[in-house]
Amino acid sequence: MSSSLPPSPARSRRSGALTGRARVPGDKSISHRSLILGLLSVGETRIEGLLEGEDVLATGRACAALGATVERLAAGRWRVSGVGVGALKSPAETLDFGNAGTGSRLMMGVVGGHPIEATFDGDASLRSRPMRRILDPLEKMGALVVSAAEGGRVPLTLRGPNRTIPITYETPAPSAQIKSAVLLAGLNAPGVTTVIEREATRDHTERMLKAFGAEVTVEPHGAHGRAIRLVGEPELRATQISVPADPSSAAFALVAALVTPGSEIVIEGVMTNPLRTGLMTTLIEMGADVTLSDVHEVGGEEVADIVVRASRLAGVDVPPERAPTMIDEYPILAVAAAFAEGETRMRGLHELRVKESDRLAAVHAGLLACGVEARIEGDDLIVTGKGGVPGGGEPVATHLDHRIAMSFLVMGLASERPVAIDDAAMIATSFPDFVPLMRGLGAAIDVEGQVELHGASS
Ligand code: S3P
């Protein structure tokens, strides 16, 4: 099993106004896909602004194990010399994905579509996450699950077929990871692979496949869904990628500035792909003073500077159909809701139960530990905001979940008493510089036994 980082307790305290400009790291979803599509292309893919978090670094190592040459040229600047669709080799060692659900699931799609065999493993969080949702369509495409832990979890060994079968697959859950795994496997199938999703999810795989030269069409399907068709066996062309800043990481600084009185900050160059901006929509409905400036395009994605001023927030009803556009942002939205006046009801959160932790339970428990009134009804989380948060309770249990850790550190910046969390180490999976970046804006965050939280080393 993957060696976990040693736990590192942390605490945040009531802070003065947050001010200044910040640039959060590159988007995690695009970073994983950049490396993987680099592996599947012939030639040199150059990446600028790659997120150098533990999750993405694990994907980089996996790409190297499958035959690519993956090199770090400078901070955030990487070169992948790929081998092309159909030319991968079986890795000699287990692919250890640590905490990374996206990296492992997308790579299962790659392996499951190629005549190679690989073993996947990860930390205690990854070992608890469902993989059947990925293995089911891959088996339909001809892959064989050689062995797996109970319920089809990792550690598991997957062998792709000699001839991959192109399928039409309707995803059973609104998941960009399932969609992407099927499309990546479909790259090595003769014919058209189709994925139908009832609710549109982040579309980075489709957009990037097109940028690498694959033939992909996307059509509306039903009220909220899409049908994505990929023509198999393309010769992907290596390309240059500029990774925009991650809206899911920007979310923490954004909410921190909203709830910390007197704050005004600018978060630079954040991707505003409409399938990722549900949090901003919701916060604006709550009364947040959030505006976009310098809107322009980077690498086929719209980006903007986000200007945020501390705001009085009011509770709102968040519809379930918005969930795919803000699926990773509910923990930090719950923090905003705790500082708002009135009830915020977040509907249809069943997918939160299978994230890095059971996020529905973890957020609820954390809110209660901080003295916030909250309850779960079915798949809904209801937070009763009182305009302020007591804080000061037992350390919040983060369950190896980076977003739980960052969310509750944000809560402590404006609560009456400090908020402690049991472990900040996992923050390095997605946002290695979270603590220094937040401190630079004026946030009072202390990490025990660690001067800094740098995840990237190579
Ligand atoms: C991701 C998809 C989402 C999201 C994850 C990143 C991706 O997961 O939660 O952080 O890059 O495809 P699901 O596909 O499980 O919804």
Side-chain angles (χ1 to χ4, degrees):
M1 167 162 161
S2 143
S3 56
S4 317
L5 299 163
S8 156
R11 206 173 74 118
S12 55
R13 290 172 280 117
R14 190 176 261 263
S15 305
L18 304 184
T19 54
R21 300 176 73 87
R23 191 178 170 92
V24 302
D27 186 66
K28 185 150 78 75
S29 296
I30 294 183
S31 294
H32 283 298
R33 288 160 173 81
S34 301
L35 293 167
I36 291 172
L37 292 179
L39 160 72
L40 292 168
S41 308
V42 178
E44 269 186 17
T45 290
R46 296 269 186 151
I47 310 168
E48 296 279 346
L50 187 84
L51 163 64
E52 295 177 334
E54 293 294 336
D55 279 13
V56 174
L57 297 177
T59 294
R61 288 190 291 269
C63 289
L66 292 177
T69 304
V70 181
E71 297 159 280
R72 182 180 198 248
L73 306 176
R77 195 184 308 154
W78 289 65
R79 177 168 59 204
V80 183
S81 307
V83 292
V85 171
L88 308 183
K89 64 171 190 189
S90 292
E93 316 242 305
T94 295
L95 304 177
D96 181 353
F97 280 94
N99 196 248
T102 305
S104 57
R105 288 174 170 149
L106 267 51
M107 203 54 99
M108 283 178 201
V110 172
V111 169
H114 278 79
I116 58 173
E117 183 172 308
T119 300
F120 294 77
D121 202 359
D123 68 6
S125 160
L126 195 66
R127 283 183 167 203
S128 74
R129 300 184 68 182
M131 295 299 170
R132 262 282 137 218
R133 51 176 54 199
I134 303 295
L135 302 177
D136 284 345
L138 294 180
E139 283 176 341
K140 289 190 197 313
M141 299 177 87
L144 177 73
V145 180
V146 178
S147 66
E150 207 204 323
R153 293 180 161 75
V154 296
L156 68 81
T157 300
L158 184 64
R159 189 187 305 150
N162 288 329
R163 199 175 156 79
T164 304
I165 305 162
I167 59 168
T168 294
Y169 192 69
E170 180 165 329
T171 56
S175 162
Q177 293 175 0
I178 303 176
K179 167 176 65 181
S180 301
V182 175
L183 291 174
L184 289 168
L187 280 174
N188 200 35
V192 176
T193 294
T194 304
V195 178
I196 293 168
E197 44 181 12
R198 267 169 284 167
E199 293 169 79
T201 62
R202 65 190 68 196
D203 57 359
H204 309 303
T205 301
E206 302 88 298
R207 285 171 179 252
M208 293 178 72
L209 277 169
K210 279 188 205 167
F212 276 82
E215 211 180 310
V216 179
T217 57
V218 181
E219 282 167 16
H221 182 88
H224 305 288
R226 289 182 173 179
I228 302 109
R229 288 187 184 81
L230 164 77
V231 178
E233 300 183 314
E235 181 151 333
L236 296 184
R237 287 187 304 271
T239 185
Q240 302 222 350
I241 300 166
S242 199
V243 184
D246 193 331
S248 299
S249 296
F252 301 105
L254 201 171
V255 170
L258 283 178
V259 301
T260 308
S263 299
E264 174 166 352
I265 66 165
V266 180
I267 317 170
E268 296 171 349
V270 181
M271 178 168 60
T272 51
N273 178 317
L275 291 168
R276 300 287 298 279
T277 49
L279 175 73
M280 261 198 291
T281 305
T282 305
L283 290 171
I284 289 167
E285 285 175 5
M286 294 172 84
D289 184 346
V290 177
T291 49
L292 301 185
S293 74
D294 191 18
V295 181
H296 62 285
E297 209 180 277
V298 169
E301 291 283 3
E302 186 190 281
V303 303
D305 290 353
I306 306 181
V307 185
V308 194
R309 295 182 188 88
S311 309
R312 288 173 67 92
L313 303 176
V316 290
D317 198 310
V318 189
E321 61 273 12
R322 196 176 292 164
T325 66
M326 54 178 298
I327 194 65
D328 291 335
E329 279 69 79
Y330 285 100
I332 194 65
L333 175 62
V335 171
F339 286 97
E341 295 279 359
E343 192 171 282
T344 294
R345 180 180 278 263
M346 299 164 230
R347 295 180 189 269
L349 306 190
H350 45 90
E351 275 295 302
L352 288 202
R353 295 191 190 276
V354 292
K355 294 296 174 188
E356 285 82 332
S357 66
D358 175 345
R359 275 192 186 149
L360 192 49
V363 170
H364 179 240
L367 291 170
L368 298 186
C370 295
V372 178
E373 201 180 310
R375 62 187 196 283
I376 294 174
E377 283 177 11
D379 288 335
D380 297 353
L381 175 65
I382 301 110
V383 179
T384 306
K386 306 243 168 69
V389 167
E394 286 292 302
V396 171
T398 54
H399 303 283
L400 296 176
D401 189 330
H402 55 133
R403 298 199 201 279
I404 300 295
M406 289 185 275
S407 296
F408 283 96
L409 287 176
V410 167
M411 178 167 266
L413 303 179
S415 57
E416 284 152 37
R417 280 166 290 144
V419 168
I421 62 167
D422 65 351
D423 185 14
M426 302 316 289
I427 292 173
T429 62
S430 71
F431 197 163
D433 285 335
F434 172 75
V435 172
L437 182 141
M438 293 301 294
R439 281 186 189 146
L441 295 171
I445 301 179
D446 309 304
V447 181
E448 229 174 75
Q450 219 178 347
V451 186
E452 53 184 3
L453 271 174
H454 282 285
S457 53
S458 62

